Amino acid sequence: MTPPNAKPRLLVVPHLYAENICVREIEFARRLTDAFDVFCLKWDDALHVDAASALGRRARQVGVAVASAIAPRRLERAADGVTYVSVPVLQPILLRRIVGDERAQAVAERRNHRVLEKVLRECAITHALLASEAFGIPERHDVKVFFDLVDWFPEESATPAQLVAIRARLAEMACRAHAVFVVSEPLAE
């Protein structure tokens, strides 16, 4: 339980965690340290790797995804005033070829959702800013949830059924969030 005079606690879940590029939500988190005790989820993202060849990139992706899935949870207070919470994240890339895209996404989200709920509970989080769908929406009613829609997908390559499913998912997340932020007008639609 948070002491009565303590700052509210904000957990930021970026759409991806990276230290070598600016990530909108992480920059936002750093600016909110005066008003909140800020926590930010941190994980190694398999899609954020490079290699000289396609095979080398795929091998590195699998290695990063496996390491990310079994990583220990760790809290680290940084000089920027944010407490970074390293968490194990199951990335669908590990399961896609075995169970297909949709099932891989669902299995990964269920596991990652449990990780998110545990962090919310153990860190006594009062507010959450989510920019990643990989963790789902928290079930806790004592946490004010904000959704930041930054990523989109190439609509022209999606089937009509996929578009309907994606829009329904985003609408569900928007309904369950306290507020929704977007980076551009087309995303707001």
Side-chain angles (χ1 to χ4, degrees):
M1 189 64 136
T2 307
N5 295 333
K7 291 193 278 188
R9 293 174 154 227
L10 170 67
L11 176 67
V12 174
V13 181
H15 68 286
L16 74 99
Y17 182 85
E19 295 176 352
N20 59 342
I21 60 172
C22 286
V23 177
R24 171 183 158 98
E25 304 81 38
I26 297 171
E27 294 301 317
F28 192 52
R30 290 176 178 144
R31 289 179 176 87
L32 291 173
T33 55
D34 287 341
F36 291 91
D37 190 4
V38 180
F39 296 77
C40 180
L41 287 193
K42 175 180 176 177
W43 69 93
D44 290 326
D45 197 318
L47 298 178
H48 193 65
V49 298
D50 260 338
S53 69
L55 182 60
R57 182 173 192 270
R58 182 72 178 142
R60 285 194 61 210
Q61 283 181 319
V62 170
V64 167
V66 168
S68 180
I70 61 173
R73 194 168 63 83
R74 190 175 65 246
L75 277 73
E76 175 185 335
R77 182 90 172 171
D80 62 7
V82 176
T83 300
Y84 292 92
V85 185
S86 296
V87 292
V89 173
L90 179 59
Q91 297 173 53
I93 194 170
L94 284 177
L95 306 172
R96 281 194 176 126
R97 296 204 184 233
I98 300 167
V99 299
D101 283 342
E102 283 184 41
R103 182 92 175 110
Q105 197 72 35
V107 168
E109 184 181 319
R110 269 196 310 276
R111 180 177 182 266
N112 297 337
H113 184 77
R114 287 192 303 270
V115 169
L116 174 64
E117 290 289 342
K118 187 172 185 177
V119 170
L120 291 171
R121 185 177 59 256
E122 290 180 0
C123 294
I125 300 298
T126 59
H127 297 74
L129 172 61
L130 305 176
S132 173
E133 290 184 57
F135 297 87
I137 295 278
E139 304 295 326
R140 298 174 52 115
H141 299 289
D142 58 338
V143 176
K144 285 186 179 176
V145 176
F146 300 87
F147 187 61
D148 189 17
L149 182 58
V150 275
D151 271 351
W152 196 237
F153 60 97
E155 287 187 66
E156 63 280 352
S157 66
T159 67
Q162 288 172 323
L163 287 174
V164 168
I166 290 167
R167 288 188 176 119
R169 168 97 170 136
L170 291 173
E172 176 194 354
M173 292 179 89
C175 285
R176 294 175 63 194
H178 199 73
V180 178
F181 305 105
V182 293
V183 295
S184 66
E185 258 187 67
L187 286 179
E189 296 170 3

